[in-house]
Amino acid sequence: MLWAGRSAVEIATAVRQGDVTAATVVEEHLHAIAERDSRVGAFRMVRERAIDEARAVQKRRDLADLPLAGVPVAVKDNLEVAGETRRSGSAATPESICDHDHDTVARLRAAGAVVVGLTNLPELGLVAFGDSHYGVVRNPWNPSRTAGGSSSGSAAAVAAGMVPIALGNDGMGSLRIPGACCGVLGLKPGPGLVPRPTEDWQGLAENGPLATTVEDLSVMLSVLAADPPLAQSWRTGTRVEPEPPMLRSVWADDDQVWEQQPVQTAAEPFDLRVAYAPRPLPPGLAVDAEFQSAVGAAAEALRIAGHTVVEHGRLPAWLGPSTIATWLARASESASSLTPARLQRRTRSLARAGAVLRRLKLEGAKGRKRWQDYGADQWFGDADVLVMPTLAAPPPVAEGWGERGFLRNALGNVRYAPCTGPWNMCGWPAMTVPFATHSSGLPIGVQLVAPPGGEPHLLGLAAQLESSHPWPRHARGFSY
């Protein structure tokens, strides 16, 4: 195969220049899915009609201007895709056909991307494991381990080279956790940048991209946000303002066209104050020693790149219980309109615990407001970006966690993935970057966090880490 395994930017450039047709690219990726997904379980359904949609992209008059021309994309199965069902990993959800695309899907299509399938997630996106009624999503690096969650299939599909980019969402780490498990990039934007999921968990959840290169991630984020300068922000760590003579494509959301305007493309140095916290969790919650070392090494790489680097301390102890209570309360809300008998045991138990907390008015609302209003800002201090672990431990085994009870699922989540939720609680942008390899052979991701509006800083630092410590774009056994 010539095009499966290539980056989104490479594919779009080739399609725009006429080196390959969009249909050929999509056919190759559908073949890759058919060949590889039996080992991974990333997709709930694959869209054969994607080939016809690729042919339609090829006929567009604005083909030469499309930033994602002919690029195959996978979409998490809790977002609307016109003509398909949206099951959210559950047998209890309606089997009705969606009559419209979610705004994020519509923007991807308008930019020339082709939706090749809908990816698996744990039931209602509630946990950091990859199993559901529709099967178990396995980690392409080690199929005995989970791909993480809840954007499980989206991350696994990218890591296994079945698509170059994928769309997911993140309510308590659901882009960053599977991204770190599978060794790919995942970015949760701050509120207002990208249209939110239909079920946004009272503002906790954001839609965002998964990719294997910072350039791909930046281009996809710029499309999702209808903000073309973000496509170049990885080069400088800032939104790049147009300067002649180069051109960029500018999104006009009202009439769905791209117009050409100048853009600056030269990389420029930038200097940030970077804090790093190898052990950010309160006492009682451990972080794997190799994950701590990766955070220190990433901080040193950024110091060498010219940034001011300082060490930071632990998150406040009260934040953990508040985050867990908020998570359980959202589980209760998500399951409240569905038939309990059709839900998995795990979902029922999480929802019951959340319902009790809501009745007792202990659902974490006060802690969330405290962290939003001043806690996060005070704790962050004068840093521009924080580097910390994405995970606290390697991914657990890939099994049917959905038929286990509350205690095993809650403890399993908290022990290995407690580092991401605080940044949903305050709504700050955060991303995971592949950086090292664990002695188990699994990837290690480091998490970058910035105050509101800091997405360009995250992309710029990620690009510097990518340059200093290049990572494998696909899991072993799935490289072309």
Side-chain angles (χ1 to χ4, degrees):
M1 282 183 260
L2 295 175
W3 297 101
R6 299 282 190 96
S7 74
V9 168
E10 289 174 323
I11 289 170
T13 300
V15 171
R16 288 195 300 266
Q17 294 177 347
D19 296 331
V20 66
T21 67
T24 296
V25 170
V26 168
E27 286 172 352
E28 285 197 12
H29 282 81
L30 291 175
H31 179 76
I33 294 169
E35 182 184 72
R36 298 179 170 209
D37 200 39
S38 60
R39 290 177 279 166
V40 179
F43 287 88
R44 178 180 72 82
M45 63 88 60
V46 179
R47 303 181 71 249
E48 295 298 334
R49 72 180 74 181
I51 296 175
D52 291 334
E53 293 173 2
R55 293 190 181 108
V57 168
Q58 194 69 42
K59 295 176 182 177
R60 285 177 56 169
R61 289 181 297 175
D62 59 348
L63 178 67
D65 301 328
L66 300 178
L68 295 176
V71 175
V73 62
V75 175
K76 187 175 179 179
D77 189 27
N78 65 352
L79 292 168
E80 295 87 351
V81 174
E84 311 295 351
T85 56
R86 179 174 69 98
R87 301 311 305 269
S88 298
S90 179
T93 50
E95 297 182 16
S96 54
I97 302 295
C98 297
D99 61 3
H100 69 285
D101 287 330
H102 186 274
D103 286 348
T104 51
V105 177
R107 289 181 179 183
L108 289 170
R109 290 194 200 263
V114 180
V115 178
V116 295
L118 302 178
T119 57
N120 279 314
L121 65 150
E123 188 165 57
L124 308 183
L126 298 181
V127 293
F129 303 119
D131 64 287
S132 74
H133 170 76
Y134 299 100
V136 176
V137 184
R138 300 184 176 277
N139 194 316
W141 288 87
N142 181 344
S144 71
R145 298 287 168 173
T146 184
S150 65
S151 301
S152 317
S154 288
V158 172
M162 291 186 277
V163 288
I165 55 174
L167 178 60
N169 35 61
D170 188 316
M172 280 287 173
S174 292
L175 283 161
R176 290 160 288 157
I177 293 167
C181 289
C182 296
V184 300
L185 296 152
L187 187 149
K188 178 195 79 69
L193 186 64
V194 172
R196 280 179 166 154
T198 305
E199 286 87 30
D200 72 351
W201 280 23
Q202 292 190 3
L204 287 166
E206 302 287 346
N207 289 313
L210 291 150
T212 63
T213 72
V214 177
E215 186 175 20
D216 277 5
L217 195 81
S218 301
V219 171
M220 185 175 176
L221 181 64
S222 75
V223 169
L224 295 174
D227 185 357
L230 277 174
Q232 296 294 329
S233 61
W234 64 277
R235 298 180 183 274
T236 63
T238 59
R239 279 178 170 78
V240 179
E241 294 304 320
E243 290 185 5
M246 302 300 291
L247 295 178
R248 65 174 164 87
S249 297
V250 179
W251 172 246
D253 199 30
D254 52 348
D255 55 1
Q256 296 189 349
V257 298
W258 293 83
E259 62 183 58
Q260 293 291 312
Q261 289 188 6
V263 68
Q264 171 183 330
T265 60
E268 296 177 0
F270 61 106
D271 180 11
L272 300 178
R273 184 172 178 83
V274 177
Y276 73 103
R279 294 188 297 168
L281 302 176
L285 289 175
V287 176
D288 182 280
E290 294 180 51
F291 290 16
Q292 295 181 42
S293 296
V295 170
E300 177 62 13
L302 294 175
R303 185 192 66 77
I304 293 171
H307 303 284
T308 301
V309 175
V310 296
E311 190 165 1
H312 208 41
R314 298 178 185 267
L315 290 161
W318 59 264
L319 181 60
S322 181
T323 302
I324 293 170
T326 301
W327 164 48
L328 295 174
R330 302 294 78 75
S332 173
E333 289 180 354
S334 296
S336 61
S337 63
L338 301 174
T339 303
R342 293 180 64 81
L343 294 170
Q344 291 182 301
R345 178 188 176 193
R346 171 179 60 204
T347 303
R348 295 195 301 269
S349 66
L350 293 173
R352 283 196 298 269
V356 170
L357 292 174
R358 292 171 68 192
R359 283 197 296 272
L360 296 175
K361 301 187 183 303
L362 298 174
E363 67 262 46
K366 290 182 180 179
R368 182 181 175 190
K369 182 169 175 53
R370 176 183 176 185
W371 187 238
Q372 281 177 325
D373 288 352
Y374 58 89
D377 191 61
Q378 287 183 348
W379 184 81
F380 215 77
D382 60 356
D384 297 304
V385 173
L386 171 70
V387 185
M388 63 183 289
T390 308
L391 304 176
V397 294
E399 294 181 354
W401 290 83
E403 296 311 317
R404 296 178 176 180
F406 170 79
L407 193 59
R408 293 185 72 178
N409 275 278
L411 288 178
N413 274 261
V414 170
R415 284 173 176 166
Y416 108 93
C419 301
T420 54
W423 312 112
N424 298 81
M425 293 282 281
C426 62
W428 287 18
M431 71 181 294
T432 187
V433 180
F435 187 75
T437 302
H438 194 265
S439 57
S440 65
L442 291 163
I444 297 176
V446 296
Q447 185 175 194
L448 308 180
V449 183
E455 290 86 356
H457 286 168
L458 300 183
L459 294 169
L461 293 185
Q464 291 181 330
L465 294 178
E466 181 180 35
S467 177
S468 65
H469 290 72
W471 50 80
R473 288 193 52 237
H474 301 111
R476 291 185 299 273
F478 291 93
S479 297
Y480 289 89

